[in-house]
């Protein structure tokens, strides 16, 4: 049985005081069994040291991006070696906001994923279609192309350290969630792709999590879907709703 995974993507939110408050009032009060659910939160880079020092041991820390390049003369970047050196286990890559606002192509996401895995980071790899893709019947083609670009870079073994996050772009931060059936359809497609392209082990073991306006209200229905193994949460990860979302995943395992 796959262990569920719940990620909190805090994006470019929070002052120091707000991050401290979120840790103290929400994250450090989460009660869950790590054998059932893995939980990771991703603050901005500057807040990571404080978060690492003050977070309860059951919750892991992630970063929201890593550089396409290794350490060196790349002003403004933070490299995989530096993230690993800091003891951070996870990185979110290929988020639609990175694709949309910072020009990250499928090829870049594939290469970043490879670099992170080569340096023993685990990756939440985000894929998802835009509204126009969905409306023109291109959803699975778009997702397949995103997955193919990652596959091109990875060895079969490296998939053991990848969580695939299906995040329809039209659902991110919009309050418009995919229905459980819509989510399940795409998750089943991704699982089928894992089977045919990577192998039976990847099909059975890879967690496929859903992101896009997940709230404490819709989490329970979504998590009942057969191929849904947890969530990547944005807005609701900044408030007490995150407790209920973790609890929804926990109660289903
Ligand atoms: C996200 O940014 O990964 C996300 C899912 O955001 P939200 O939950 O706010 O839609």
């Amino acid at each position: 049985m796959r262990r569920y995974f719940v990620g909190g993507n805090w994006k470019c939110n929070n002052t120091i005081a707000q991050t401290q408050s979120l840790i103290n009032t929400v994250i450090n009060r989460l009660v869950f069994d790590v054998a059932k659910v893995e939980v990771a939160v991703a603050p901005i880079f500057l807040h990571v040291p404080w978060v690492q020092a003050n977070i309860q041991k059951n919750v892991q820390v992630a970063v929201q991006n890593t550089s396409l390049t290794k350490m060196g003369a790349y002003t403004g970047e933070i490299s995989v070696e530096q993230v690993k050196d800091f003891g951070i286990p996870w990185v979110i890559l290929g988020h639609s906001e990175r694709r949309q606002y910072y020009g990250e192509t499928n090829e870049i996401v594939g290469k970043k994923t490879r670099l992170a895995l080569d340096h023993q980071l685990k990756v939440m790899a985000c894929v998802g279609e835009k509204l126009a893709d969905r409306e023109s019947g291109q959803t699975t083609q778009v997702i397949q192309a995103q997955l193919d670009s990652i596959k091109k870079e990875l060895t079969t073994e490296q998939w053991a350290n990848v969580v695939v996050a299906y995040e329809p772009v039209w659902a991110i931060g919009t309050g418009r969630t995919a229905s459980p059936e819509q989510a399940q359809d795409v998750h089943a497609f991704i699982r089928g792709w894992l089977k045919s392209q990577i192998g039976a082990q990847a099909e059975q073991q890879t967690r496929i999590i859903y992101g896009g306006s997940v709230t404490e209200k819709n989490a329970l229905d979504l998590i009942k879907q057969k191929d849904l193994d947890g969530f990547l949460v944005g807005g609701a990860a900044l408030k007490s709703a995150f407790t209920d979302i973790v609890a929804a995943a926990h109660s289903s395992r």
Side-chain angles (χ1 to χ4, degrees), residues 128-160:
E129 80 287 2
K130 296 186 183 130
L131 187 58
D133 302 325
R134 176 161 282 268
E135 287 177 345
S136 60
Q138 297 295 306
T139 298
T140 53
Q141 285 92 325
V142 167
I143 287 163
Q144 180 166 334
Q146 293 168 336
L147 292 169
D148 285 346
S149 301
I150 297 172
K151 179 199 163 195
K152 193 169 159 245
E153 301 291 335
L154 306 194
T155 64
T156 302
E157 294 68 40
Q158 284 181 311
W159 282 90

Side-chain angles (χ1 to χ4, degrees), residues 7-11 92 95-97 126 165-169 171-176 210-215 231-237:
N9 175 14
W10 295 352
K11 313 194 186 192
I92 300 171
H95 192 280
S96 69
E97 288 153 12
C126 304
Y166 168 54
E167 299 209 297
V169 180
I172 296 181
T174 58
R176 185 177 167 191
Y210 169 81
S213 297
V214 175
T215 66
F231 302 110
L232 183 53
V233 188

Side-chain angles (χ1 to χ4, degrees), residues 30-44:
L30 293 174
V31 179
F32 62 96
D33 179 355
V34 287
K36 292 184 176 179
V37 188
E38 205 173 350
V39 178
V41 294
I44 61 160

Side-chain angles (χ1 to χ4, degrees), residues 180-199:
E181 296 72 27
Q182 284 173 321
Q184 169 57 27
D185 282 352
V186 178
H187 283 234
F189 170 77
I190 295 171
R191 200 161 306 286
W193 180 92
L194 286 166
K195 182 177 185 184
S196 66
Q197 302 300 312
I198 313 299

